Amino acid sequence: MHQKEKDVPKELVPSVKRLSTALRAVEDPHTPPHVRDATTTSAQQVSAALEVIGAPDTPPATRRQLTGVVQQVTSTLEAAQRPGVRPDERRTATFIAARATSLLPLIGDRKTPPQLRRDLTESVRHLTHARSERGGTTGDSGSSADRTRAAKAVEASWATIRDPHTPGNLQKELAKVTHETSSSLDRAGDPEASADERDQAQKDLDKQLDHMKKELEKAASAQGLPNVPLPKAAEVCTNAVFDYVDDDVLIKKLGSVLPKKWDTEGVDDFWKSEEAKKNALDIRVLLRGQEDVTDAPVQIKRLAPKLADTIPAEYLYVTLGTPGLNCLRAALDVYQVSGVTSGTWVKKAKEME
């Protein structure tokens, strides 16, 4: 990154320095693996975006929009590494940055329609401001929880928008409502706004979330269930659930299929899964008080019903985005092979066949 400081426009030098600081911070062996991975992934996406920004044939509008997103995500990553930041806040900020930087290739693509690009950059601006700079804590605990759910829905929408299988017309409409939702989310938690203004923004947010949920359903229905083997579908589904569902919920719902030792020692973080033996996933977690990742194989037919307990089918897409389609595929395959049902997922999957 040191070389990048010499090559980028002057206004991006502070961003490159912030990114370098974040990368050095996560080299600490005490850094949780998910924070290290997300930071590294963000750095790779930013590095690629810097190449586009520096290209002489990049349109000025695209250059400005990419620059804005790079400035926002590097500020978010820097804030995540400040002393005294709670682990859960660090994870939230790091994941927001990683999900925002995943949009950089689409924003920088010459084929991306200008309005879609604007909607994406604005939604990044609003969400990073609402979630990273003030944490969405203004207002009572109920409205704060509502805004947290709305922020996660925006991030799930990003995953659907950047999915290459999402039809262009649905992509544009989803980006539009995502922009509107993130704007209301930002205003609903703005400490400088009046109570009436925040209340109105909260009402707008509720309506926009309902609209977003419908658009996410349309985007998923247009794709249909993915044609992938059970282990791959289960892996994509599990990793999405681990990313978007709170660890305390996962601990409660998955406990009975995990090793007894994990229950005794306590799981601090569900990191990721990978295909293991036939019809099994290797589940990797971080146990409390430990720095090294622990793993164990879990049969998919035992895991799928427990994953389904964490998210009802009705809220699958607004929670995970289109990766939720892999959850339905896995649930349907498990049912057809072993007769094991996975909550409401199997019924939803059958409706899409």
Side-chain angles (χ1 to χ4, degrees), residues 143-323:
S143 60
S144 180
D146 288 343
R147 289 195 295 277
T148 297
R149 285 191 290 272
K152 290 183 177 181
V154 168
E155 293 169 29
S157 183
W158 286 348
T160 302
I161 293 167
R162 64 181 173 81
D163 186 331
H165 299 102
T166 299
N169 61 322
L170 298 178
Q171 188 185 49
K172 292 176 185 177
E173 183 59 30
L174 190 52
K176 179 174 180 286
V177 70
T178 302
H179 174 190
E180 294 168 350
T181 302
S182 65
S183 177
S184 294
L185 172 67
D186 197 1
R187 287 187 289 112
D190 186 353
E192 296 183 3
S194 68
D196 287 344
E197 289 172 330
R198 291 197 298 270
D199 287 344
Q200 184 58 54
Q202 186 65 51
K203 292 176 182 177
D204 293 341
L205 182 60
D206 293 338
K207 294 177 182 177
Q208 289 154 354
L209 273 175
D210 185 59
H211 184 187
M212 182 190 293
K213 184 172 179 289
K214 292 176 181 177
E215 292 301 320
L216 285 165
E217 288 277 351
K218 289 180 185 177
S221 297
Q223 288 194 32
L225 299 181
N227 184 23
V228 294
L230 172 60
K232 174 51 68 175
E235 178 188 324
V236 173
C237 171
T238 302
N239 288 338
V241 171
F242 284 3
D243 278 353
Y244 285 93
V245 177
D246 291 339
D247 283 322
D248 55 351
V249 174
L250 294 174
I251 291 168
K252 181 179 179 181
K253 299 295 185 180
L254 304 186
S256 63
V257 300
L258 302 176
K260 294 295 183 183
K261 179 183 178 181
W262 292 6
D263 186 48
T264 302
E265 297 188 15
V267 177
D268 189 51
D269 178 72
F270 287 88
W271 182 29
K272 67 177 180 179
S273 70
E274 287 187 357
E275 293 184 44
K277 299 176 182 178
K278 184 179 180 181
N279 295 330
L281 293 183
D282 184 47
I283 302 298
R284 301 179 182 182
V285 304
L286 199 64
L287 298 176
R288 292 196 183 102
Q290 296 189 16
E291 295 178 6
D292 296 327
V293 173
T294 301
D295 64 283
V298 178
Q299 290 294 311
I300 295 172
K301 68 179 181 181
R302 298 187 65 214
L303 180 63
K306 300 302 179 182
L307 292 173
D309 286 343
T310 69
I311 312 170
E314 180 185 1
Y315 299 102
L316 197 55
Y317 306 133
V318 78
T319 305
L320 305 181
T322 46

Side-chain angles (χ1 to χ4, degrees), residues 21-205:
T21 299
L23 286 170
R24 286 194 297 271
V26 299
E27 290 175 356
D28 186 325
H30 298 290
T31 301
H34 60 265
V35 172
R36 183 180 298 112
D37 276 5
T39 302
T40 302
T41 299
S42 294
Q44 292 168 344
Q45 295 281 20
V46 167
S47 182
L50 291 174
E51 296 293 333
V52 178
I53 291 170
D57 59 344
T58 297
T62 302
R63 183 176 290 112
R64 287 194 301 272
Q65 290 159 336
L66 285 172
T67 296
V69 173
V70 166
Q71 290 170 330
Q72 288 148 8
V73 297
T74 54
S75 293
T76 299
L77 286 171
E78 180 189 47
Q81 299 302 328
R82 289 171 185 162
V85 175
R86 297 199 316 265
D88 60 324
E89 293 175 337
R90 177 171 292 114
R91 172 178 172 142
T92 295
T94 304
F95 272 43
I96 287 173
R99 290 163 188 161
T101 55
S102 72
L103 297 174
L104 285 169
L106 183 58
I107 293 171
D109 191 334
R110 289 178 176 274
K111 298 178 183 177
T112 300
Q115 186 59 52
L116 175 60
R117 187 181 291 113
R118 283 193 293 271
D119 284 332
L120 289 176
T121 55
E122 284 301 295
S123 66
V124 169
R125 181 174 69 85
H126 287 301
L127 187 64
T128 53
H129 186 249
R131 291 279 276 168
S132 302
E133 296 191 18
R134 57 175 127 85
T137 56
T138 301
D140 59 46
S141 59
S143 60
S144 180
D146 288 343
R147 289 195 295 277
T148 297
R149 285 191 290 272
K152 290 183 177 181
V154 168
E155 293 169 29
S157 183
W158 286 348
T160 302
I161 293 167
R162 64 181 173 81
D163 186 331
H165 299 102
T166 299
N169 61 322
L170 298 178
Q171 188 185 49
K172 292 176 185 177
E173 183 59 30
L174 190 52
K176 179 174 180 286
V177 70
T178 302
H179 174 190
E180 294 168 350
T181 302
S182 65
S183 177
S184 294
L185 172 67
D186 197 1
R187 287 187 289 112
D190 186 353
E192 296 183 3
S194 68
D196 287 344
E197 289 172 330
R198 291 197 298 270
D199 287 344
Q200 184 58 54
Q202 186 65 51
K203 292 176 182 177
D204 293 341
L205 182 60

